[in-house]
Amino acid sequence: ANNVRPVTPQQFPSTFKFGCGSSAYQIEGAYATDGRGQSIWDDVTKKYPEKVVDGSNGNVACNSYELYEEDIKALVATGVNFYRFSISWSRVLPTGDISSVNELGLQYYDNLINALIKNKIQPMVTMFHWDMPQRLQELGGMPNPIIVDYFKQYAKILFERYSDRVKLWNTFNEPVVYCELGHSLLVHAPLVNSPGIGNYLCGHHILLANAEAYRMYHNFYNLDKTGKIAIVLNSGYTWPLDANNPDDVEAAERTIQFWLGWFAHPIFSSTGGYPPVMTEVINANSEMENRTWSRLPEFTPEEIIYVRGTSDFLGLNYYTSSYATPATDQIGWPNPSFYRDRNTFTSVNETWPVAKSTWLRSVPQGLRDLLNWIRKQYNNPEVYITENGWSDEGELHDVGRIEYLRGHLQAVLDAVLRDRCNVVAHTTWSIIDNFEWMSGYTEKFGLFHVDFTSPNKTRTAKDSVAFLRSIISTRMMPTN
Ligand code: GBH
C-alpha cells in the first residue's frame, strides 16, 4: 500500500521552505575589487587555466558583487523563502587572518543580507564553499591542524557581524569534494597531491573546525535560540549492482559509508567517530603498508564527544545516484588512495537521462532512498536539501530542468509524507548560471540565464522559474 499513489494531490507542509543557492567564487567576480584577497581558486585558474575546460575563471563571473540586486530580483520572481549564498573568506579577511579585516568586504555582505531581508527572503550563509584564502593555503591549508584556529577566528568575525540577522548557517560545503578532489585527484583547487593521506587530514580538520564553530555559535551568538548551524554534505544513493549478491550489497553500503558516512557518522551517529568500516579498512591498509600509524587520523575519546552532535540539521546536496560492486582491480588508482581504501566500482544505468554534465543523471528514486537511509542510519535527523539541480546548455526552454525538478520534488514529497523523513527544505542549484568550476561556463545550472557577453550580465528567467514558482506558491506538485 505504501507505493500506491493517492488520487488527491499532496501538499508540502506549510512549514516546508523553498530556496535557491549560489556560491561566492561562482558568481561574485570583482576578484580584485575593494581589497579582496586571493583564494586558491584565483591561484589555480590563473596558474593552470588548462585545468578549466574553456580556460575561464571567476574573475568577473556574474559580477554579483556589483549586481546582487539583480540576483534578488530573480529570487523574488521565483518566490523563494530563502537564499543560500556563501561568503568569500578572502573578501572579508584578505590574508585569511584577523590582521587584515576588510571593512568593504564585510559591508558587501551587510548590503546583501539587508536587501534580502527587506524582500522577505531569509539569508542562509555558507561560511566555506571551497575558496580557501591563498595565504592560508601557503601555510598548508586544510591538512594543517592550525586551520582549525584560523577558521574559528573567521567564524567569530562572521557571527559578530551578521548573527543578529542571519539565522541559518552552513559551516562547510561538501567536505568530501573539497578534500578528495582537491587533495587527491588533482581535479579541484588547491591541487594538492596527497592521495590517501592529505585528503583524510583535510577531512579531520574540517570536522574539528565545524565542531568549534558550532559550539562557539551556540555558546556565544545564538542567545535567543532562533538560529541553526549545520554542515553540508553531498551524496548520491548507491544500490548494489546485483541486489541478490551479498558482496554487492556490502559494496553499496561501503560506498555510502566512505562518502556520506565519512562526515555524517562523526556528527550524526549515536556512537560518533568515523564509520567503523572506514576505520577498519584504512587501519588495516596502513598496517599492510608498514606504517606505524593509520592514514586516517584518530579522534581522542574527548574529540569524539566534542564533534558528535555539532550540526543542527543535515544539509544535503543531492544530484545523482549509482550502482556499486566490489572492485576487481585497483590499477587506475594511486597507492595509497581513498578509492583503493573504498575498493568499489560504481556505474550508472544508461537509460537514466543525462545532463550537460556527464556525471549528472536524473535519478529521483535515489533521493528518496537516500533520505530513508539517513532516517534509519541517524535516527531521523532534520534534513535541509541544500542543493539539487540540473545542467544544460543554458536554453530558456529548459524542459530537462523542469523534468528533473518535478521528479526530485515528488521524491521529497514522498519521503516526507509517506516515509516520515524529517526533510524541511529544498534548495534549487542554482539561482543563476555561473562559473561551474572545472567546467567553466560550459555547463549551466541556473534558473535564470546570464548573458556573460553583456556588460551588465543580464539575467533572464528560464521556463523553470514559472514551474518552481507555482510549486512554491501552491505547495503542490502540478497535476499535468
Ligand atoms: C556541487 O557539487 C557544488 O557544491 C556546486 O558548487 C556546484 O556548482 C554544483 O554541485 C554543480 O556541480 O567532472 O567527473 O570530475 C556537486 C559535486 C563534485 C559534482 C565534482 C561534479 C565533478 C565530477 N560535484 N564533480 S568530474
Side-chain angles (χ1 to χ4, degrees):
N2 211 26
N3 288 319
V4 179
R5 205 168 283 294
V7 277
T8 48
Q10 295 213 3
Q11 247 179 325
F12 285 94
S14 60
T15 50
F16 195 92
K17 291 187 231 172
F18 293 91
C20 287
S22 71
S23 92
Y25 189 71
Q26 293 178 274
I27 66 164
E28 282 179 5
Y31 75 117
T33 305
D34 290 346
R36 177 184 177 278
Q38 300 292 285
S39 84
I40 57 173
W41 279 93
D42 300 296
D43 190 64
V44 161
T45 55
K46 187 171 178 186
K47 287 191 188 138
Y48 309 99
E50 70 283 1
K51 282 268 174 192
V52 181
V53 295
D54 55 2
S56 67
N57 54 53
N59 289 1
V60 180
C62 315
N63 194 14
S64 288
Y65 185 71
E66 280 163 6
L67 299 170
Y68 67 93
E69 282 164 326
E70 299 304 310
D71 298 344
I72 293 177
K73 282 183 200 155
L75 293 159
V76 168
T78 312
V80 293
N81 310 113
F82 68 93
Y83 178 41
R84 174 175 181 252
F85 63 93
S86 84
I87 290 182
S88 158
W89 188 340
S90 64
R91 193 181 289 287
V92 303
L93 299 177
T95 67
D97 176 54
I98 46 161
S99 57
S100 66
V101 181
N102 181 20
E103 178 57 27
L104 290 174
L106 286 165
Q107 271 171 26
Y108 166 66
Y109 297 107
D110 265 330
N111 295 342
L112 173 58
I113 289 163
N114 293 343
L116 286 166
I117 292 171
K118 208 168 142 200
N119 284 282
K120 302 196 168 43
I121 298 169
Q122 197 183 3
M124 177 192 257
V125 170
T126 302
M127 301 159 79
F128 183 82
H129 199 122
W130 305 351
D131 44 358
M132 174 70 74
Q134 180 60 20
R135 292 275 292 272
L136 294 182
Q137 189 58 44
E138 277 154 25
L139 217 55
M142 217 62 97
N144 182 342
I146 197 74
I147 202 69
V148 177
D149 295 326
Y150 281 94
F151 183 76
K152 200 175 162 185
Q153 275 189 340
Y154 164 58
K156 184 166 185 264
I157 300 232
L158 300 189
F159 294 152
E160 273 175 5
R161 182 85 175 207
Y162 307 120
S163 65
D164 58 332
R165 287 154 291 156
V166 173
K167 301 295 175 184
L168 286 171
W169 295 89
N170 297 159
T171 53
F172 291 91
N173 181 68
E174 301 189 352
V176 177
V177 175
Y178 184 73
C179 295
E180 183 53 27
L181 276 67
H183 299 74
S184 293
L185 293 185
L186 303 182
V187 174
H188 280 184
L191 297 177
V192 167
N193 188 4
S194 184
I197 298 172
N199 54 338
Y200 296 133
L201 287 168
C202 170
H204 202 68
H205 303 141
I206 284 184
L207 282 161
L208 293 171
N210 171 77
E212 290 287 352
Y214 178 94
R215 296 195 183 280
M216 176 169 55
Y217 179 64
H218 283 295
N219 287 337
F220 301 107
Y221 297 98
N222 189 28
L223 300 179
D224 66 1
K225 305 262 181 276
T226 59
K228 290 187 181 192
I229 181 164
I231 197 160
V232 169
L233 309 179
N234 83 307
S235 187
Y237 191 66
T238 315
W239 295 284
L241 186 58
D242 173 358
N244 297 315
N245 181 341
D247 292 340
D248 286 8
V249 172
E250 211 184 306
E253 177 69 12
R254 193 162 71 246
T255 303
I256 300 184
Q257 289 293 358
F258 265 76
W259 198 274
L260 181 61
W262 178 1
F263 291 89
H265 197 279
I267 296 175
F268 295 99
S269 72
S270 57
T271 47
Y274 290 114
V277 64
M278 265 187 100
T279 316
E280 282 158 27
V281 167
I282 302 169
N283 290 1
N285 288 352
S286 300
E287 216 177 301
M288 275 188 317
E289 294 152 11
N290 292 318
R291 294 171 200 275
T292 51
W293 66 86
S294 177
R295 288 183 280 102
L296 184 67
E298 214 179 317
F299 288 117
T300 64
E302 294 75 27
E303 284 171 339
I304 289 182
I305 293 165
Y306 192 73
V307 167
R308 200 167 70 81
T310 54
S311 190
D312 293 320
F313 56 83
L314 197 167
L316 179 68
N317 293 355
Y318 176 86
Y319 285 91
T320 195
S321 286
S322 61
Y323 295 103
T325 190
T328 49
D329 69 66
Q330 297 199 319
I331 293 163
W333 297 319
N335 190 15
S337 63
F338 171 86
Y339 285 94
R340 279 197 184 237
D341 292 334
R342 192 184 72 176
N343 201 26
T344 64
F345 283 155
T346 59
S347 56
V348 298
N349 183 331
E350 298 288 335
T351 69
W352 293 335
V354 63
K356 179 77 200 298
S357 314
T358 52
W359 55 270
L360 175 50
R361 285 173 186 270
S362 179
V363 199
Q365 185 63 38
L367 176 53
R368 185 171 174 187
D369 287 1
L370 181 64
L371 290 169
N372 277 286
W373 188 92
I374 290 168
R375 173 174 63 76
K376 291 178 203 147
Q377 187 82 21
Y378 305 122
N379 192 25
N380 208 10
E382 186 167 83
V383 174
Y384 281 59
I385 295 171
T386 35
E387 282 181 32
N388 179 229
W390 183 254
S391 66
D392 56 22
E393 303 271 358
E395 59 267 29
L396 295 180
H397 300 299
D398 54 341
V399 283
R401 179 165 297 101
I402 291 174
E403 284 320 303
Y404 182 91
L405 289 174
R406 185 199 305 278
H408 287 78
L409 286 165
Q410 184 63 53
V412 173
L413 201 49
D414 290 343
V416 171
L417 297 182
R418 299 178 190 211
D419 310 336
R420 302 285 160 207
C421 293
N422 192 11
V423 187
V424 300
H426 176 277
T427 317
T428 302
W429 184 271
S430 174
I431 184 62
I432 49 177
D433 292 341
N434 57 60
F435 176 71
E436 176 54 20
W437 308 113
M438 293 321 181
S439 299
Y441 297 97
T442 67
E443 298 170 7
K444 307 288 172 53
F445 277 87
L447 291 166
F448 281 73
H449 174 272
V450 174
D451 181 358
F452 290 102
T453 63
S454 72
N456 48 2
K457 312 290 172 205
T458 313
R459 282 88 161 130
T460 308
K462 301 178 188 176
D463 289 351
S464 52
V465 171
F467 175 80
L468 188 58
R469 184 189 173 81
S470 122
I471 294 177
I472 296 174
S473 63
T474 62
R475 316 240 126 214
M476 259 193 263
M477 294 304 293
T479 43
N480 59 338

